[in-house]
Amino acid sequence: MSSRKGKRDSARVVREQLARERRRRRTIWVSATAVVVLVIAGVVGWVVWSNQRSDTFTTPPGANAAGTGIVTGGGPVTVDVYEDFLCPVCKQFEQATGTTLEQLVADNKATVVYHPVAFLNRFSTTEYSSRSSAASGCAAAGGKFREYAKALFDRQPPEGSAGLPDDQLIDIGTGVGLDRGSFGGCVKDGTYKTWTEHVTDEAGRSKVTGTPTVMVNGQPLTSPTPESLTAAVAAAGK
């Protein structure tokens, strides 16, 4: 009798173990399926969001075909300059190298494409990087991009501050010859904020991780100086 009872108990234990194993496998399968569904949904959502952003930006006059920067000049060598108007090193670069870039354009040696990115919004309480970049798009629409960009660097606020308010951004524009009515309306309306997002997104996709970044015919230029920039353009033009 006890032998039969022991066998029944052993069989019950085996059945319970098998049942537990089946439940565990079902739980793992359901969890894995849920994770896959979430990943797929996330990827689809990102693609939709990305496409929406790239399809709705407003490009200012003077931008390149990709809408990622403002073009100056028409020389055979392309120099891409990625800068943030809140970046202190960008200000130093502009002060040291801006004239060299303009001379390369004047001598028809280079086409310079300026990409005003908004990498440093986290260092401003009012997203100054985005606001100033969008304002530079308004300046491009008024034919004064370079003049305005240099004035923005001259008046650069410190990192961690609120940055310059829109009224001051407009005052800077009128100071370089832009019409207060059209330029001011453009700044107030945020006409080129979607363009700023596009410029910044595309810079990230191009592996630009900091500012200033300078590329000569697509090749990064480390420690750009007037001398190294002039030499790189000369070499690329041969």
Side-chain angles (χ1 to χ4, degrees):
M1 181 69 177
S2 60
S3 175
R4 286 198 299 273
K5 183 176 182 300
K7 290 180 179 179
R8 286 198 300 272
D9 288 343
S10 297
R12 178 174 54 80
V13 169
V14 170
R15 287 195 300 273
E16 290 175 350
Q17 289 177 337
L18 291 173
R20 284 196 296 271
E21 180 63 20
R22 285 194 294 271
R23 286 195 297 271
R24 187 183 69 83
R25 289 177 180 176
R26 280 198 300 271
T27 299
I28 293 173
W29 175 253
V30 170
S31 298
T33 302
V35 169
V36 171
V37 169
L38 287 173
V39 170
I40 292 173
V43 170
V44 171
W46 182 87
V47 169
V48 171
W49 173 82
S50 178
N51 287 338
Q52 286 175 341
R53 284 166 64 96
S54 63
D55 289 343
T56 58
F57 65 92
T58 301
T59 306
N64 58 2
T68 61
I70 302 299
V71 179
T72 62
V77 178
T78 298
V79 179
D80 290 284
V81 179
Y82 295 84
E83 53 192 3
D84 188 309
F85 292 119
L86 190 59
C87 163
V89 183
C90 295
K91 177 179 179 177
Q92 296 170 11
F93 171 79
E94 172 61 38
Q95 292 173 337
T97 314
T99 302
T100 300
L101 289 168
E102 291 171 354
Q103 190 61 52
L104 289 169
V105 167
D107 293 342
N108 200 36
K109 293 180 179 179
T111 297
V112 182
V113 184
Y114 293 93
H115 307 263
V117 297
F119 283 171
L120 301 181
N121 273 333
R122 65 189 183 280
F123 293 112
S124 165
T125 58
T126 63
E127 296 191 338
Y128 177 75
S129 291
S130 285
R131 291 191 298 109
S132 56
S133 173
S136 76
C138 296
K144 297 283 187 180
F145 175 82
R146 279 296 294 147
E147 295 89 340
Y148 189 68
K150 289 188 287 186
L152 284 179
F153 282 124
D154 288 342
R155 297 279 298 277
Q156 186 181 74
E159 290 182 323
S161 70
L164 304 179
D166 287 349
D167 286 342
Q168 287 190 36
L169 291 177
I170 294 169
D171 288 342
I172 292 171
T174 59
V176 299
L178 289 162
D179 177 74
R180 181 174 291 275
S182 58
F183 175 73
C186 180
V187 172
K188 291 286 190 182
D189 292 342
T191 302
Y192 294 113
K193 282 188 175 180
T194 55
W195 173 68
T196 292
E197 293 172 354
H198 174 71
V199 172
T200 305
D201 289 345
E202 290 302 312
R205 292 188 180 99
S206 298
K207 309 303 182 185
V208 175
T209 59
T211 55
T213 291
V214 179
M215 297 184 182
V216 178
N217 277 357
Q219 297 301 311
L221 183 64
T222 58
S223 302
T225 64
E227 295 76 19
S228 65
L229 180 59
T230 301
V233 169
K238 290 181 179 179

